[in-house]
Amino acid sequence: MLHTLNGLKMGRIRSVKALLALTYVILEGPTPRRRLAELLWPQASQPDSSLRVALHGLRSGKEKKEKLLDSEEPVSSSYGCDALTLLQLRGEAVLAAYPGPFLSSVPLEGVSTEFEEWVYAQRERLAAHVQAELLFSARQHPPMPAAALAEQAYRLAGTPPPTPERLTELLALSLPGSPLEAELKRELRGLEDIPQATSTAPRPRRLLGRDPELTRLLDWATGTGTQTGTQVALVSGMGGIGKSALTTSLLRELAAQGRGTTFVNAEPLRSAAEVLGAAAQAQLGPPAPDLPGLAQHLGAGHVILLDGVDGIDDLGELLTEWTQAAPELRWVLTGRHVQLGLPGAPGHTERQTGQTTLPSGLPVLSLRLGGLPIPEAGDDLTELADNPAVQFLLREARRFQRDLELTPATAPHLGSLARRLQGHPMSMLLACGWLAVESLDAVHARVLHSLSGLHDRAEPARGLPQLARQTWSFLRPQTQRDLIRLTPFVDFDPVLMPAYGIPETSIDELLHLSLLEAHQPGSERLRLHPLVSDLAATELQGKALDRARAQHSAHYLAWFGQQPAASAQARDELANIIRAIEHAARQGTLTAGDVDRLLSFFQASAQLSSGFEVMSTLAQLCFEARASVEVQAAAEIAQMWLAYVSGHLLDAQMLVTQFLNSKLANEPMNRLKALNTLAGIRGRQGQWKAATAIYEETLTIAENLNDSGRKAIQLMNLLPVLINDGNVRRTMQLLPIAEHLANELNRVDFHHLLLWIHLELPDPDFAHILEQARQVMQMAATQGDLHQAMWAEYYAVRCFQGLRQYRAALECLQPLTEKAKTEKAWNLLVSSSVLQTELLYQLGRSAQARKSALLALEQARRNNDFNDLVVILLSVSQDLKQTDPVGLTRQLQRVVNDNRTVQRDRETAAALLESRLEDMSPLDSLELMGFLQAHLSVRAQGLQVE
């Protein structure tokens, strides 16, 4: 075989000109010797001699007695060539046969210009063939795999610049909101001024038979139809009926209209926190804001699709809360059950479609999908050609038998199949897959036989298990085994499967027969179709599934143990990791280290609320499985800690109390961790003295354990609480111990904390602290800890401020702020913005200071930190006294009265109060943000020059 794609080679022949001559005559046919010599040796003194040498090389270089040349005048060859093979392939098979462009990287030195142009023309011809076949295949697929093929076609090496028609075709196949869609739109805009001929080619219909449902959803989403006043649409139906295809098409249509959309794969999710976290991560990345913050970012009219919500409990109550908290958002939900697990209205039946009302009073648009419209028994060819179920059958059947057409000979079978399968898309997909090994007549007979024993044929997909079993019987034994091994996966990246022991051939076979599906727009991750997975789990094997689950669990636990805490890959595989951990919990193989790694992941990726839900389930599993004391304690401690850090203080407090009263707390380390959580709760509640007492107990436990590392951690917990409570005496007692441990352990985070402690104490020695800050910066840089280095730099700027070197402080602060933005160090960014505000006021730049305060407020809104708001209020209080002294006094009085306020801020606020109010209510964060936003915005816009 002559290889001309992605290079030029054949056996041991090394002469480039000889191989180019062979390539030309294979592709172009018999060529006169003189013509060939002119093309390849135009500048040679004796081109005929050069050709003679090249042909001799082909004769003497033949391997295994293969005849390379049929004749030498004219020169001709029928030898095999990968380019010719490629041109004979159809469908997705072209991709594997196209390793790269024709004669890429082959030096074309000394050839004629005409030959060079021939090479370029062949290169574009071959690439265009591959691209056309990929697009043909894409049009036969559902939206998600179609988009993956379209992107491969668009990025195919060697293709000529795309025409507007080709770009429009690719755009129709791309997914709404995907990077490919945005790139295609940009390229089309660049060509919009170039006049183009109007294309008469018919647009492919990719959502057969669902026009009424799509129109109804579009009317609902845009507010143009009768379904006004509803924020939620429910699309339900049995598995494989086309819910995802319908709703993703809705997103595509909305995106084409410029409406914001978000897709969330809700199959592995079980709680509201996980849903909101997934929606936020799709748009913003971690850390996820709360729902009002997410809604503000997304904007009014944004549509969020939650695809597959059957596993989420109490969804009705959650929807009511979400629509009240964010009335500007719209929600589309899909699931198999009629009400998606919601308590339905009385008399609600499987076939009802229309507007309904939940018991909470929330109105929803409910669509129940059935099969595609099917033909009547006596329909003629024209009627069959217009029938959606027949069109679907033809489209899918052509993936296996490309020349299949609707003819008088095939029409009876196609119409009968559509009726027997009740227009159910998944059933028709499975039946079409049989065409890979059987004729249409045989497939029709097999379907009739498979469904002959059914008593109730009125329900679409009633015979789906029988059809799936038939497809199972067509699989190779190796593929059958691999399908069972894939059953435990929530989904997977096909690129990683060979390392798992599942070859690409099995993946390709399962995809080809529609047993695998791409289920996330913009992602190439695959999963077994849920119905196939259910069948594999219940009917197709004995103990094989148990072995598959054990292998899946062991693989992911081992893999997860090697990942960094905030691994992006771990985020992609989180659903599989959780499934693996839960299986290990049931089987008694889970370790405390596995639980601790999962806790670290949730903290590092800022998935706190969803982590709390996952850990709650895991703790219950460990209890029911009677796991070891170490594992149960690890799960319950992780649960209470995530409840605390995610703001579920009441839940965290109850969990800690129960734990401390159980036998699990008898182990000192378990008690220490639980007490740390309780102390954090007390600190969040502003009960500084209670928190101090608890941290003192944990410090005693650490000392009794004779663990200097633990002792250091407990001091790091205790010292800030002492500062917040204004307990200078105890702070000064512990400082020498803390400084000794910091030097002994060489922990840069401990040194960073000590810098802050010294700055917060009365009468700080700024010059000494500045020197210490520089040392910590050097230490952090040496250890590669950019985060701690930036904090040390921030404390150095505070020292410049304390030394009244305001201009130097401001100059140092500006590059630090840019680094904080780049590194997404949000807490540091708030502190830097507040410090910049103070410095600008001190330099007499009030207008700039107000703008800086607004930036700090914007970031504080994201962080949702009470003390950030207090510090911002105090930094601009003198300014706000001129615009609303009464409102300022009210806010300052609340700061003084609120237990959460740290002692230093309370004293500062009390000193600023010029009068006292009777208002004893605590500080309201939302009200304070509104107060600051309103007054600072007015001042920033109205007083630019002072």
Side-chain angles (χ1 to χ4, degrees), residues 801-867:
Q801 181 190 32
L803 295 169
R804 300 182 182 276
Q805 298 178 27
Y806 304 132
R807 297 186 188 280
L810 199 58
E811 289 177 2
C812 295
L813 187 61
Q814 289 173 347
L816 174 61
T817 302
E818 293 303 316
K819 280 191 286 187
K821 290 178 182 177
T822 301
E823 298 299 322
K824 298 182 180 180
W826 308 123
N827 290 330
L828 177 59
L829 194 56
V830 173
S831 297
S832 298
S833 298
V834 173
L835 181 53
Q836 179 176 264
T837 301
E838 295 173 353
L839 290 169
L840 289 170
Y841 276 124
Q842 288 163 333
L843 288 169
R845 303 177 189 174
S846 299
Q848 293 177 328
R850 294 173 196 124
K851 293 181 180 180
S852 178
L854 284 170
L855 291 174
L857 185 64
E858 180 182 345
Q859 188 55 50
R861 189 192 307 272
R862 179 187 180 106
N863 287 1
N864 195 27
D865 189 296
F866 168 84
N867 286 303

Side-chain angles (χ1 to χ4, degrees), residues 402-462:
R402 184 167 183 176
D403 297 330
L404 183 66
E405 297 291 345
L406 181 63
T407 66
T410 62
H413 288 332
L414 290 171
S416 176
L417 283 172
R419 289 189 295 273
R420 295 291 294 178
L421 298 173
Q422 290 291 296
H424 185 271
M426 186 62 190
S427 296
M428 292 190 288
L429 276 173
L430 291 175
C432 287
W434 305 348
L435 290 169
V437 294
E438 293 184 333
S439 67
L440 180 60
D441 292 349
V443 168
H444 180 254
R446 187 179 290 275
V447 169
L448 295 181
H449 176 73
S450 298
L451 303 183
S452 61
L454 296 180
H455 299 292
D456 180 6
R457 299 173 187 171
E459 181 63 43
R462 183 72 70 185

Side-chain angles (χ1 to χ4, degrees), residues 24-39:
Y24 188 85
V25 298
I26 289 175
L27 296 181
E28 292 295 318
T31 306
R33 291 174 68 104
R34 181 177 295 276
R35 170 69 172 160
L36 202 56
E38 291 172 350
L39 287 172

Side-chain angles (χ1 to χ4, degrees), residues 430 471 475 483 510-511 513-517 527-529 532:
L430 291 175
T471 301
L475 297 176
L483 186 149
L510 293 171
L511 271 172
L513 296 176
S514 303
L515 300 180
L516 284 175
E517 62 177 1
R527 69 173 179 183
L528 281 176
H529 191 283
V532 178

Side-chain angles (χ1 to χ4, degrees), residues 426 429-431 433-434 437 446 450 463-488 506 509-510 512-516 528-529 531-545 547-548:
M426 186 62 190
L429 276 173
L430 291 175
W434 305 348
V437 294
R446 187 179 290 275
S450 298
L464 192 57
Q466 289 88 335
L467 300 176
R469 273 193 290 272
Q470 288 291 332
T471 301
W472 167 270
S473 69
F474 287 130
L475 297 176
R476 295 178 299 116
Q478 176 64 48
T479 308
Q480 291 179 342
R481 290 190 292 271
D482 291 336
L483 186 149
I484 294 173
R485 294 177 63 201
L486 286 171
T487 302
S506 292
E509 185 176 355
L510 293 171
H512 199 51
L513 296 176
S514 303
L515 300 180
L516 284 175
L528 281 176
H529 191 283
L531 293 175
V532 178
S533 184
D534 291 346
L535 189 66
T538 57
E539 299 188 37
L540 300 182
Q541 78 297 310
K543 296 182 179 180
L545 182 60
R547 291 194 296 270

Side-chain angles (χ1 to χ4, degrees), residues 767-778:
H768 176 71
I769 299 171
L770 178 60
E771 181 60 32
Q772 294 295 315
R774 288 169 174 161
Q775 292 179 16
V776 175
M777 287 169 60
Q778 181 62 42

